[in-house]
Amino acid sequence: MKSSLFGKTFVLELGPDIRFKEKNLLIKYLREQNANISYTLTARTDYVLVKNDIDTYKTRRARQLGILLLNVEYIYEYQRHPDKIIDPNLYLITSAENKENFKSGKISLE
């Protein structure tokens, strides 16, 4: 069974909150799932993975291009439950107003 991350392209905009080793483990896991990691935003980017600070040049540019911002907790949840289908919509960052809710890892789409 293919991973739901298979073939997806991610740009990591994690900031200083995620340490070097943790970031490398995250990259390793994404590569094991046959996901692509890009360092630049393009129209082919599926998601920008973010942690806390969502107001950066890359996140603003991603919104302009219509690229979805996804909380990195989605990947962690996927790691914890590899056999379960995790809905990425529960982890989407939809606006700057959600920044306070972002700390919990999930944002309601109400």
Side-chain angles (χ1 to χ4, degrees):
M1 183 171 127
K2 283 186 182 177
S3 161
S4 64
L5 303 175
F6 182 87
K8 300 290 184 194
T9 300
F10 294 90
V11 169
L12 282 62
E13 185 68 7
L14 302 173
D17 292 334
I18 292 188
R19 303 221 181 263
F20 181 78
K21 184 176 180 181
E22 185 179 353
K23 185 175 179 180
N24 281 339
L25 291 172
L26 180 65
I27 291 169
K28 180 182 176 193
Y29 178 76
L30 288 170
R31 287 187 176 146
E32 288 170 357
Q33 301 304 308
N34 292 311
N36 303 308
I37 298 167
S38 177
Y39 296 95
T40 58
L41 288 170
T42 67
R44 294 175 28 167
T45 302
D46 292 297
Y47 298 108
V48 176
L49 283 180
V50 297
K51 182 67 178 158
N52 286 327
D53 184 14
I54 60 171
D55 188 29
T56 66
Y57 172 76
K58 278 187 183 178
T59 58
R60 288 190 302 272
R61 184 68 180 138
R63 286 201 172 119
Q64 289 173 345
L65 294 172
I67 298 168
L68 301 174
L69 301 180
L70 190 63
N71 186 330
V72 71
E73 289 299 321
Y74 169 71
I75 304 300
Y76 296 145
E77 186 69 17
Y78 200 91
Q79 283 181 299
R80 288 189 287 269
H81 305 286
D83 298 330
K84 186 178 171 185
I85 295 175
I86 313 279
D87 183 3
N89 291 323
L90 297 174
Y91 297 89
L92 288 178
I93 307 304
T94 56
S95 69
E97 294 84 55
N98 287 326
K99 196 168 185 178
E100 284 301 312
N101 297 329
F102 186 68
K103 294 175 186 172
S104 69
K106 293 184 182 179
I107 295 175
S108 173
L109 294 177
E110 298 172 356

Short mmCIF file of all heavy atoms in Angstrom, two decimals, residues 9-59:
data_model
loop_
_atom_site.label_atom_id
_atom_site.label_comp_id
_atom_site.label_asym_id
_atom_site.label_seq_id
_atom_site.Cartn_x
_atom_site.Cartn_y
_atom_site.Cartn_z
N THR A 9 4.95 16.92 -2.83
CA THR A 9 6.11 17.79 -2.71
C THR A 9 5.90 18.75 -1.55
O THR A 9 4.89 19.44 -1.48
CB THR A 9 6.34 18.58 -4.01
OG1 THR A 9 6.55 17.64 -5.07
CG2 THR A 9 7.55 19.49 -3.89
N PHE A 10 6.85 18.75 -0.63
CA PHE A 10 6.81 19.57 0.57
C PHE A 10 7.94 20.58 0.57
O PHE A 10 9.07 20.25 0.21
CB PHE A 10 6.96 18.70 1.83
CG PHE A 10 5.83 17.77 2.07
CD1 PHE A 10 5.83 16.48 1.54
CD2 PHE A 10 4.74 18.15 2.84
CE1 PHE A 10 4.78 15.61 1.77
CE2 PHE A 10 3.68 17.30 3.08
CZ PHE A 10 3.70 16.02 2.54
N VAL A 11 7.64 21.79 1.01
CA VAL A 11 8.65 22.79 1.33
C VAL A 11 8.59 22.94 2.84
O VAL A 11 7.51 23.10 3.41
CB VAL A 11 8.37 24.14 0.62
CG1 VAL A 11 9.27 25.23 1.17
CG2 VAL A 11 8.55 24.00 -0.88
N LEU A 12 9.74 22.86 3.50
CA LEU A 12 9.80 22.97 4.95
C LEU A 12 10.11 24.40 5.36
O LEU A 12 11.15 24.94 4.95
CB LEU A 12 10.84 22.03 5.53
CG LEU A 12 10.44 20.56 5.64
CD1 LEU A 12 10.15 19.93 4.30
CD2 LEU A 12 11.48 19.78 6.37
N GLU A 13 9.22 25.00 6.12
CA GLU A 13 9.42 26.35 6.65
C GLU A 13 9.19 26.25 8.15
O GLU A 13 8.17 26.68 8.67
CB GLU A 13 8.43 27.32 5.97
CG GLU A 13 8.61 28.76 6.34
CD GLU A 13 9.91 29.37 5.84
OE1 GLU A 13 10.66 28.75 5.08
OE2 GLU A 13 10.18 30.50 6.25
N LEU A 14 10.14 25.61 8.83
CA LEU A 14 9.94 25.21 10.22
C LEU A 14 10.51 26.19 11.23
O LEU A 14 10.17 26.11 12.40
CB LEU A 14 10.53 23.81 10.43
CG LEU A 14 9.93 22.75 9.51
CD1 LEU A 14 10.67 21.45 9.66
CD2 LEU A 14 8.46 22.57 9.80
N GLY A 15 11.37 27.05 10.81
CA GLY A 15 11.93 28.03 11.74
C GLY A 15 12.84 27.40 12.77
O GLY A 15 13.18 26.22 12.70
N PRO A 16 13.22 28.16 13.77
CA PRO A 16 14.17 27.69 14.78
C PRO A 16 13.56 26.78 15.84
O PRO A 16 14.27 26.24 16.66
CB PRO A 16 14.68 28.99 15.42
CG PRO A 16 13.53 29.93 15.27
CD PRO A 16 12.87 29.57 13.96
N ASP A 17 12.23 26.59 15.82
CA ASP A 17 11.59 25.77 16.84
C ASP A 17 11.91 24.28 16.69
O ASP A 17 11.81 23.53 17.65
CB ASP A 17 10.08 25.95 16.83
CG ASP A 17 9.68 27.35 17.27
OD1 ASP A 17 10.46 27.96 18.04
OD2 ASP A 17 8.62 27.81 16.86
N ILE A 18 12.26 23.87 15.49
CA ILE A 18 12.61 22.47 15.28
C ILE A 18 14.11 22.39 15.12
O ILE A 18 14.71 23.01 14.25
CB ILE A 18 11.88 21.90 14.04
CG1 ILE A 18 10.40 21.84 14.35
CG2 ILE A 18 12.43 20.54 13.68
CD1 ILE A 18 9.56 21.14 13.33
N ARG A 19 14.70 21.62 15.99
CA ARG A 19 16.16 21.49 16.02
C ARG A 19 16.67 20.69 14.82
O ARG A 19 15.92 19.98 14.17
CB ARG A 19 16.59 20.85 17.32
CG ARG A 19 16.10 21.62 18.53
CD ARG A 19 17.19 21.66 19.57
NE ARG A 19 16.75 22.37 20.76
CZ ARG A 19 17.00 23.64 20.98
NH1 ARG A 19 17.67 24.34 20.12
NH2 ARG A 19 16.58 24.22 22.09
N PHE A 20 17.97 20.79 14.57
CA PHE A 20 18.62 20.18 13.43
C PHE A 20 18.34 18.68 13.34
O PHE A 20 17.96 18.17 12.29
CB PHE A 20 20.14 20.45 13.51
CG PHE A 20 20.92 19.88 12.38
CD1 PHE A 20 20.92 20.51 11.15
CD2 PHE A 20 21.64 18.70 12.53
CE1 PHE A 20 21.65 19.98 10.09
CE2 PHE A 20 22.35 18.17 11.48
CZ PHE A 20 22.35 18.81 10.26
N LYS A 21 18.52 17.97 14.44
CA LYS A 21 18.35 16.52 14.43
C LYS A 21 16.89 16.15 14.14
O LYS A 21 16.61 15.25 13.35
CB LYS A 21 18.78 15.92 15.77
CG LYS A 21 18.71 14.41 15.79
CD LYS A 21 19.23 13.85 17.09
CE LYS A 21 19.15 12.33 17.08
NZ LYS A 21 19.63 11.75 18.32
N GLU A 22 15.96 16.85 14.77
CA GLU A 22 14.54 16.59 14.55
C GLU A 22 14.16 16.86 13.09
O GLU A 22 13.41 16.11 12.47
CB GLU A 22 13.70 17.44 15.50
CG GLU A 22 12.22 17.17 15.43
CD GLU A 22 11.43 18.02 16.40
OE1 GLU A 22 12.02 18.75 17.23
OE2 GLU A 22 10.20 17.98 16.31
N LYS A 23 14.70 17.93 12.55
CA LYS A 23 14.43 18.28 11.15
C LYS A 23 14.98 17.20 10.22
O LYS A 23 14.32 16.80 9.26
CB LYS A 23 15.04 19.64 10.82
CG LYS A 23 14.71 20.14 9.44
CD LYS A 23 15.25 21.54 9.25
CE LYS A 23 14.96 22.06 7.86
NZ LYS A 23 15.48 23.41 7.67
N ASN A 24 16.17 16.72 10.51
CA ASN A 24 16.76 15.66 9.68
C ASN A 24 15.96 14.37 9.76
O ASN A 24 15.80 13.67 8.75
CB ASN A 24 18.22 15.41 10.07
CG ASN A 24 19.14 16.45 9.49
OD1 ASN A 24 18.81 17.11 8.51
ND2 ASN A 24 20.31 16.61 10.08
N LEU A 25 15.44 14.04 10.94
CA LEU A 25 14.59 12.85 11.08
C LEU A 25 13.29 13.02 10.29
O LEU A 25 12.79 12.07 9.67
CB LEU A 25 14.29 12.56 12.54
CG LEU A 25 15.46 12.08 13.38
CD1 LEU A 25 15.08 12.00 14.86
CD2 LEU A 25 15.94 10.72 12.88
N LEU A 26 12.76 14.22 10.29
CA LEU A 26 11.55 14.52 9.54
C LEU A 26 11.81 14.36 8.03
O LEU A 26 11.03 13.72 7.31
CB LEU A 26 11.09 15.94 9.85
CG LEU A 26 9.84 16.43 9.15
CD1 LEU A 26 8.63 15.62 9.57
CD2 LEU A 26 9.62 17.90 9.48
N ILE A 27 12.92 14.90 7.56
CA ILE A 27 13.29 14.78 6.15
C ILE A 27 13.50 13.32 5.78
O ILE A 27 13.02 12.85 4.74
CB ILE A 27 14.54 15.63 5.84
CG1 ILE A 27 14.19 17.12 5.92
CG2 ILE A 27 15.13 15.28 4.48
CD1 ILE A 27 15.39 18.05 5.89
N LYS A 28 14.18 12.58 6.63
CA LYS A 28 14.42 11.16 6.39
C LYS A 28 13.10 10.41 6.28
O LYS A 28 12.91 9.60 5.37
CB LYS A 28 15.27 10.57 7.52
CG LYS A 28 15.56 9.10 7.34
CD LYS A 28 16.37 8.55 8.51
CE LYS A 28 16.54 7.06 8.33
NZ LYS A 28 17.03 6.43 9.53
N TYR A 29 12.16 10.68 7.18
CA TYR A 29 10.86 10.02 7.15
C TYR A 29 10.11 10.34 5.86
O TYR A 29 9.54 9.45 5.22
CB TYR A 29 10.02 10.40 8.37
CG TYR A 29 8.66 9.77 8.34
CD1 TYR A 29 8.50 8.43 8.65
CD2 TYR A 29 7.54 10.51 7.97
CE1 TYR A 29 7.25 7.83 8.60
CE2 TYR A 29 6.29 9.91 7.91
CZ TYR A 29 6.15 8.58 8.23
OH TYR A 29 4.92 7.98 8.17
N LEU A 30 10.09 11.61 5.47
CA LEU A 30 9.40 12.00 4.24
C LEU A 30 10.01 11.30 3.02
O LEU A 30 9.29 10.82 2.14
CB LEU A 30 9.45 13.52 4.05
CG LEU A 30 8.56 14.32 4.99
CD1 LEU A 30 8.87 15.80 4.89
CD2 LEU A 30 7.09 14.06 4.70
N ARG A 31 11.31 11.19 2.99
CA ARG A 31 11.97 10.50 1.88
C ARG A 31 11.65 9.01 1.88
O ARG A 31 11.47 8.40 0.82
CB ARG A 31 13.47 10.73 1.93
CG ARG A 31 13.83 12.13 1.53
CD ARG A 31 15.31 12.36 1.42
NE ARG A 31 15.56 13.72 0.92
CZ ARG A 31 16.58 14.44 1.28
NH1 ARG A 31 17.47 13.98 2.14
NH2 ARG A 31 16.73 15.65 0.80
N GLU A 32 11.56 8.40 3.07
CA GLU A 32 11.17 6.99 3.17
C GLU A 32 9.76 6.77 2.63
O GLU A 32 9.45 5.69 2.13
CB GLU A 32 11.24 6.51 4.62
CG GLU A 32 12.63 6.34 5.15
CD GLU A 32 12.68 6.11 6.65
OE1 GLU A 32 11.62 6.14 7.32
OE2 GLU A 32 13.79 5.89 7.17
N GLN A 33 8.92 7.78 2.74
CA GLN A 33 7.54 7.70 2.25
C GLN A 33 7.44 8.10 0.78
O GLN A 33 6.35 8.23 0.24
CB GLN A 33 6.62 8.59 3.10
CG GLN A 33 6.59 8.22 4.56
CD GLN A 33 6.19 6.78 4.77
OE1 GLN A 33 5.17 6.33 4.26
NE2 GLN A 33 6.98 6.05 5.54
N ASN A 34 8.60 8.29 0.14
CA ASN A 34 8.68 8.70 -1.27
C ASN A 34 8.03 10.05 -1.53
O ASN A 34 7.45 10.28 -2.59
CB ASN A 34 8.12 7.63 -2.19
CG ASN A 34 8.97 6.40 -2.20
OD1 ASN A 34 10.18 6.50 -2.36
ND2 ASN A 34 8.37 5.24 -1.98
N ALA A 35 8.11 10.93 -0.55
CA ALA A 35 7.67 12.31 -0.73
C ALA A 35 8.87 13.10 -1.25
O ALA A 35 10.02 12.72 -1.04
CB ALA A 35 7.18 12.89 0.58
N ASN A 36 8.60 14.19 -1.92
CA ASN A 36 9.65 15.06 -2.43
C ASN A 36 9.81 16.26 -1.51
O ASN A 36 8.82 16.79 -1.02
CB ASN A 36 9.29 15.54 -3.84
CG ASN A 36 9.05 14.40 -4.78
OD1 ASN A 36 9.88 13.51 -4.91
ND2 ASN A 36 7.91 14.41 -5.44
N ILE A 37 11.04 16.67 -1.33
CA ILE A 37 11.33 17.84 -0.51
C ILE A 37 11.98 18.87 -1.42
O ILE A 37 12.95 18.59 -2.11
CB ILE A 37 12.25 17.50 0.67
CG1 ILE A 37 11.55 16.49 1.56
CG2 ILE A 37 12.62 18.75 1.45
CD1 ILE A 37 12.43 15.84 2.57
N SER A 38 11.40 20.06 -1.41
CA SER A 38 11.91 21.14 -2.24
C SER A 38 12.32 22.30 -1.33
O SER A 38 11.76 22.47 -0.25
CB SER A 38 10.83 21.61 -3.22
OG SER A 38 11.30 22.70 -3.97
N TYR A 39 13.28 23.04 -1.75
CA TYR A 39 13.72 24.19 -0.97
C TYR A 39 13.20 25.50 -1.55
O TYR A 39 13.40 26.55 -0.98
CB TYR A 39 15.24 24.19 -0.84
CG TYR A 39 15.71 22.98 -0.07
CD1 TYR A 39 16.12 21.83 -0.74
CD2 TYR A 39 15.65 22.95 1.31
CE1 TYR A 39 16.49 20.69 -0.03
CE2 TYR A 39 16.02 21.83 2.02
CZ TYR A 39 16.44 20.70 1.34
OH TYR A 39 16.78 19.57 2.06
N THR A 40 12.52 25.39 -2.70
CA THR A 40 11.92 26.55 -3.31
C THR A 40 10.45 26.27 -3.62
O THR A 40 10.08 25.14 -3.91
CB THR A 40 12.64 26.94 -4.62
OG1 THR A 40 12.60 25.83 -5.52
CG2 THR A 40 14.08 27.35 -4.36
N LEU A 41 9.65 27.31 -3.55
CA LEU A 41 8.23 27.18 -3.89
C LEU A 41 8.07 27.21 -5.40
O LEU A 41 8.64 28.06 -6.07
CB LEU A 41 7.45 28.36 -3.30
CG LEU A 41 7.26 28.36 -1.80
CD1 LEU A 41 6.67 29.69 -1.36
CD2 LEU A 41 6.36 27.24 -1.37
N THR A 42 7.30 26.27 -5.90
CA THR A 42 6.94 26.27 -7.31
C THR A 42 5.47 25.90 -7.40
O THR A 42 4.85 25.50 -6.40
CB THR A 42 7.77 25.24 -8.11
OG1 THR A 42 7.40 23.92 -7.69
CG2 THR A 42 9.26 25.44 -7.94
N ALA A 43 4.93 25.98 -8.57
CA ALA A 43 3.53 25.61 -8.77
C ALA A 43 3.31 24.12 -8.49
O ALA A 43 2.20 23.69 -8.24
CB ALA A 43 3.09 25.96 -10.18
N ARG A 44 4.37 23.33 -8.51
CA ARG A 44 4.26 21.89 -8.26
C ARG A 44 4.33 21.54 -6.78
O ARG A 44 4.19 20.38 -6.42
CB ARG A 44 5.35 21.16 -9.03
CG ARG A 44 5.15 21.28 -10.54
CD ARG A 44 6.25 20.69 -11.36
NE ARG A 44 6.95 19.59 -10.73
CZ ARG A 44 7.77 18.79 -11.35
NH1 ARG A 44 8.00 18.96 -12.62
NH2 ARG A 44 8.40 17.83 -10.71
N THR A 45 4.55 22.51 -5.91
CA THR A 45 4.59 22.26 -4.47
C THR A 45 3.18 21.94 -3.99
O THR A 45 2.23 22.64 -4.31
CB THR A 45 5.12 23.50 -3.72
OG1 THR A 45 6.42 23.81 -4.21
CG2 THR A 45 5.19 23.26 -2.23
N ASP A 46 3.05 20.84 -3.22
CA ASP A 46 1.74 20.47 -2.68
C ASP A 46 1.46 21.16 -1.35
O ASP A 46 0.36 21.64 -1.12
CB ASP A 46 1.66 18.94 -2.49
CG ASP A 46 1.67 18.22 -3.81
OD1 ASP A 46 0.73 18.43 -4.60
OD2 ASP A 46 2.63 17.44 -4.06
N TYR A 47 2.47 21.17 -0.46
CA TYR A 47 2.27 21.72 0.88
C TYR A 47 3.54 22.43 1.34
O TYR A 47 4.65 22.04 1.00
CB TYR A 47 2.00 20.62 1.91
CG TYR A 47 0.75 19.83 1.67
CD1 TYR A 47 0.82 18.52 1.23
CD2 TYR A 47 -0.51 20.39 1.93
CE1 TYR A 47 -0.34 17.78 1.03
CE2 TYR A 47 -1.66 19.65 1.74
CZ TYR A 47 -1.57 18.35 1.28
OH TYR A 47 -2.71 17.62 1.09
N VAL A 48 3.34 23.45 2.18
CA VAL A 48 4.44 24.05 2.93
C VAL A 48 4.23 23.60 4.37
O VAL A 48 3.19 23.87 4.97
CB VAL A 48 4.43 25.59 2.83
CG1 VAL A 48 5.53 26.18 3.71
CG2 VAL A 48 4.61 26.03 1.38
N LEU A 49 5.21 22.87 4.92
CA LEU A 49 5.14 22.43 6.31
C LEU A 49 5.64 23.55 7.20
O LEU A 49 6.71 24.09 6.98
CB LEU A 49 6.02 21.20 6.54
CG LEU A 49 5.49 19.87 6.05
CD1 LEU A 49 6.49 18.76 6.38
CD2 LEU A 49 4.15 19.55 6.65
N VAL A 50 4.84 23.91 8.21
CA VAL A 50 5.21 24.99 9.11
C VAL A 50 5.07 24.53 10.55
O VAL A 50 4.37 23.58 10.85
CB VAL A 50 4.34 26.26 8.87
CG1 VAL A 50 4.58 26.81 7.48
CG2 VAL A 50 2.88 25.98 9.06
N LYS A 51 5.73 25.25 11.44
CA LYS A 51 5.64 24.96 12.88
C LYS A 51 4.90 26.09 13.59
O LYS A 51 3.69 26.04 13.70
CB LYS A 51 7.05 24.74 13.45
CG LYS A 51 7.09 24.38 14.91
CD LYS A 51 6.51 23.03 15.19
CE LYS A 51 6.64 22.70 16.67
NZ LYS A 51 5.72 21.72 17.10
N ASN A 52 5.58 27.10 14.03
CA ASN A 52 4.93 28.16 14.79
C ASN A 52 4.76 29.47 14.03
O ASN A 52 3.68 29.97 13.90
CB ASN A 52 5.68 28.45 16.09
CG ASN A 52 5.44 27.36 17.11
OD1 ASN A 52 4.38 26.78 17.16
ND2 ASN A 52 6.45 27.07 17.91
N ASP A 53 5.84 30.00 13.52
CA ASP A 53 5.78 31.31 12.88
C ASP A 53 5.32 31.14 11.44
O ASP A 53 6.05 30.68 10.59
CB ASP A 53 7.14 31.99 12.92
CG ASP A 53 7.08 33.40 12.35
OD1 ASP A 53 5.98 33.93 12.17
OD2 ASP A 53 8.14 33.95 12.09
N ILE A 54 4.08 31.55 11.18
CA ILE A 54 3.56 31.35 9.84
C ILE A 54 3.62 32.61 8.98
O ILE A 54 3.16 32.60 7.87
CB ILE A 54 2.12 30.79 9.88
CG1 ILE A 54 1.18 31.75 10.59
CG2 ILE A 54 2.09 29.41 10.48
CD1 ILE A 54 -0.27 31.38 10.47
N ASP A 55 4.18 33.67 9.50
CA ASP A 55 4.26 34.91 8.74
C ASP A 55 5.69 35.12 8.25
O ASP A 55 6.45 35.90 8.80
CB ASP A 55 3.80 36.09 9.59
CG ASP A 55 3.69 37.36 8.76
OD1 ASP A 55 3.42 37.25 7.55
OD2 ASP A 55 3.86 38.45 9.33
N THR A 56 6.04 34.37 7.20
CA THR A 56 7.35 34.51 6.58
C THR A 56 7.15 34.79 5.10
O THR A 56 6.04 34.67 4.57
CB THR A 56 8.20 33.23 6.74
OG1 THR A 56 7.57 32.18 6.00
CG2 THR A 56 8.35 32.84 8.20
N TYR A 57 8.22 35.12 4.42
CA TYR A 57 8.12 35.36 2.99
C TYR A 57 7.57 34.13 2.27
O TYR A 57 6.68 34.23 1.42
CB TYR A 57 9.49 35.74 2.40
CG TYR A 57 9.44 35.80 0.89
CD1 TYR A 57 8.85 36.88 0.25
CD2 TYR A 57 9.93 34.75 0.12
CE1 TYR A 57 8.75 36.92 -1.14
CE2 TYR A 57 9.85 34.79 -1.26
CZ TYR A 57 9.26 35.87 -1.88
OH TYR A 57 9.17 35.90 -3.24
N LYS A 58 8.10 32.94 2.63
CA LYS A 58 7.65 31.72 1.95
C LYS A 58 6.18 31.43 2.19
O LYS A 58 5.47 31.01 1.28
CB LYS A 58 8.48 30.51 2.39
CG LYS A 58 9.79 30.40 1.68
CD LYS A 58 10.47 29.10 2.03
CE LYS A 58 11.83 29.03 1.36
NZ LYS A 58 12.55 27.80 1.71
N THR A 59 5.71 31.65 3.41
CA THR A 59 4.30 31.37 3.67
C THR A 59 3.39 32.38 2.97
O THR A 59 2.34 32.01 2.46
CB THR A 59 4.00 31.31 5.18
OG1 THR A 59 4.37 32.55 5.79
CG2 THR A 59 4.74 30.17 5.85
#
